[in-house]
Each structure stands twice: as C-alpha cells, then as structure tokens.
Amino acid sequence: MDQARAARRGRLNGRETAPSRFTAAEIAEIRSEFPALAELTYLSTNGLGLLPRRSAQAVATRLDRLTNGGIAVAFADDEELAEETRRRVAHLLSCHADEIAFTRNTSEGILWVAESLPLASGDEILVAQGEFPSSVLPWLGRAQRGVVTRFLAQAQRRITPAMVAAAWTPRTRLLAISFVQYNSGFRADLAALASVAHRHGGLLLVDAIQGLGALRLDAAATQVDFLTAGTQKWLLGLQGLGIFFCRRERLAQLEAMHVGPGSLPQDTDPEDPLAPYDCNFVAAARRFEEGSRNYLGLAALSESLRFIDEIGPARIEARIRELTDYAVAAAERRGCRVESPRGAGEWSGILLFTPPGGRPAKEPDDMRRLMEAMRQRQIAINGREGCLHMGIHFYNTTEEIDRLMQAVDAVGG
Ligand SMILES: Cc1ncc(COP(=O)(O)O)c(C=O)c1O
C-alpha cells in the first residue's frame, strides 16, 4: 500500500487526530449523496441523520419490485436481504453475524434485555442520572417485580469506570449506559466499563445510537454484553429499524420471552403440525426477531453500511474529530463555553455549548431568538439546556460551521 493510500485509510498511529484528510473532490462526491445539504446547513445528525441518495434508491427499487411482484419478490429477496445486512452490521461491529438481530428501534433492544434477563426482587440496575429515557424506563417498569433502578450522578458530565465500580453493590446485576450521552456528547469507555461489570459478575448493556456510524466500536474487543441502536441517526438509515447485539455466550442467560415464529430455525417443516410449537428456538440473536421484519429499512441500512464501509470508519471518525475541534475553537473564540467533554477517548460528534458570554441562556425568549436566527438562515440545529446542541457528521464542512458562527455573532451574547 503506498503512503498516500495508507494515510487516507486513517492509520491513527495511536493519535486521535488522524492525518486522513479527504480531498475536495471526495467531499463533493460525498455531499452529492445528500440533497438536503444544498438547502440546509445540517447540524442535526444527533436528531436525525440524512439518508444517502443511494439508500433512498435501494428503498425505491425494492418498493417497485414489491409493487410489481408481491409475494414472488418477498420470497425471493427477504431472507437474502436480512442476512446480507446482518453480515454488514457484524462487520461494522467486528462480531459474528449470529450475534446480531434487527429491532424496530433502540428502545426495543433495551426492552428485550429488560424482559428476558432473569431478575429477582431486590436486584439492582445501575443507570446514569440524565440518561435518555430508553435506558431508564424499561427498568423502572420492572419495579413492580421488585427490581431497583439506582441512579449514578454524573461528575462534570462524565461517567467513569471508577465511579461505576464505587457504586456497584453485591445486588447490582447490570449497568445500562449510552455509548455517547445524547445531551453532552460524552463517550463512555466501554471496554473499561465491561471490565468493571464482569469483575463483579454483572453485565453491560449499551445504547449506541449516538455513536455508531460515527465512532468505531469493536463489540468483541470491548466485551460489551448487549448493545442496541436505532439506524436513523449516525448510521444513515431509516426510522423504524434498529440493530441489537447479544454476545454469543450471553444468549443462554436470557429467558426466551420475546419469541414468535421468526424465532424458529429456518428449516422448520411447515407441514409438521407440531414443529412450530415445540419451542426449538434458534441459538442466535435472531431468536428475538419474532415475525416479519422491516425490509424497506433493511434495504436502506444495507446501502448506508456499504457507503460507510467504502469511506472507511477510521476516516469518518477522524473527520468528525477535525470538524468538531474546528467548531470548538470557533465557539471558544466567541466566548462560548463548550460543555461537551473533549478529552482523548471521550469526545464525539455531539457538541453542546453556551451562547457567547459563557452562560446558558436563562430566558426562554433569548433561546427563541437564537433558534429563530438559525431557522432564518436555514441552519438545522437544536437548542438544549439554554445552549446550542449539534451533531456533526462526516458530510459536514468547516464552511458550514463558519455559517453557524456568523449566525451566533449576529444574535450576540
Ligand atoms: C441516547 C438515545 N437513545 C435512544 C434514542 C431514541 O431511541 P429510539 O431509536 O428508540 O427512538 C435517542 C434519540 O434521540 C437517544 O439519543
């Protein structure tokens, strides 16, 4: 491999800022996949990612074939599409295809674990204060059966392995945590957290929706037990489809609660009147796919994963680091305070920062004025906690960040 190609492949050499710059032609080619970028300064991938043209085309092609062929098309394509997409997800996560199942969304994956994990009255689940409700509500729902949800306070918007170790008790069974916190963008050290959980005989469940597709995540190396992510944000898929990872050796620890005909082996004899009821479920994460799947979502995801793989996850991550560093410097030059942790291993594509003056907007009117200024300039960005809250993906540019900062300047502190 020549040197230029090696650099483009994003060899990080242990450093977090890779030298893997994209050429102007590459950026133009990438951006041509996202028509919305011609109209909008799109800084909202943390809310909803953009669907690439090629993925939209794959959905349109499938719809066309279904419209014209009905069941003949479904029979011919469904299984192959699901298995091909499963292999692509496994490739992204460096795990086995039989460790992957498809969900409707992030929340469903957490519910699968919450309903299938054998828990006794008095058992505890550890969650961080401020987590997205998907990681919390399924456990509160088990309170009627005596399961205790314990909240761990964040320290300077961080949840560290030492904090988790200190909070773990003999009754703690599982830590449920986001890979990337949706509000601050803090990225958890999954390998170290898995090690804390396992040292105590417990488990780690990860909500990966705010990181997967932007930041590399090796499920085998980190030793996470369960992981779930909707595909509609950084993975550039459609709403209504998510992925679920269950480590091979953990499947047997989950009760077969969430089952249906889709949980049976593919070669179950449809003519045998008893076989469908004999509870001979597949020994794979696919067991959770109880019935028909979201094939249009799978068509989109398969193409989007192919696109992400073509560009290269390491290069995507390096570009997000460069762009977010650029945004942090531009914000700080204006006297904005960046709330998002930015240290090695804890940064992400999400940035939360105050208006100039270094304090969150106190008055709802101030925030409304700021958001209105963004809308008028066609800048898609969110507000949260009196701050600007944005998600930067590889398809963004420094020019877009400049446009955002001009709007911040125009409104003032
Ligand atoms: C951390 C986190 N989890 C879950 C979700 C949404 O999950 P679902 O895919 O179930 O809609 C979001 C959406 O913003 C999120 O930020």
Side-chain angles (χ1 to χ4, degrees), residues 46-47 104-108 131-132 134 178 180-182 207 209-210 229-230 232-233:
N46 51 331
R104 287 182 297 151
N105 48 47
T106 320
S107 309
E108 186 174 49
E131 270 288 357
F132 198 79
S134 303
S178 290
V180 170
Q181 290 293 316
Y182 78 103
D207 168 347
I209 190 173
Q210 290 292 7
Q232 70 270 28
K233 297 184 193 279

Side-chain angles (χ1 to χ4, degrees), residues 351-380:
L351 285 181
L352 181 73
F353 59 94
T354 69
R359 278 194 308 277
K362 282 255 165 18
E363 301 301 326
D365 270 357
D366 291 344
M367 205 58 205
R368 261 197 291 278
R369 226 159 33 94
L370 190 57
M371 298 322 291
E372 185 51 35
M374 299 297 162
R375 255 192 305 278
Q376 278 170 6
R377 290 169 173 77
Q378 313 277 58
I379 301 173

Side-chain angles (χ1 to χ4, degrees), residues 36-47:
L37 297 177
E39 307 292 325
L40 290 170
T41 299
Y42 199 84
L43 300 170
S44 273
T45 301
N46 51 331

Side-chain angles (χ1 to χ4, degrees), residues 12 16 87-96 99-100 106 177-181 186-194 204-230 234-235 243-247 305 308-309 312-318 320 345 347-348:
L12 296 178
E16 290 225 76
R87 282 193 296 275
R88 287 190 196 284
V89 174
H91 177 66
L92 181 73
L93 283 172
S94 304
C95 67
H96 304 287
E99 293 176 308
I100 298 298
T106 320
I177 193 167
S178 290
F179 177 31
V180 170
Q181 290 293 316
F186 169 73
R187 182 191 343 174
D189 182 347
L190 298 183
L193 292 173
L204 176 65
L205 164 62
V206 177
D207 168 347
I209 190 173
Q210 290 292 7
L212 204 57
L215 306 171
R216 286 166 296 168
L217 199 170
D218 184 323
T222 50
Q223 295 278 296
V224 304
D225 298 294
F226 313 109
L227 177 146
T228 173
W234 306 86
L235 284 170
I243 59 137
F244 177 71
F245 161 85
C246 174
R247 207 137 70 84
L305 287 175
I308 286 170
D309 194 52
R315 296 184 77 204
I316 288 174
E317 188 177 309
I320 293 171
W347 62 273
S348 73

Side-chain angles (χ1 to χ4, degrees), residues 51-64 299 303:
L51 189 67
R53 270 184 209 278
R54 61 179 74 191
S55 309
Q57 187 54 52
V59 175
T61 303
R62 187 169 173 86
L63 261 179
D64 237 32
E303 270 311 303

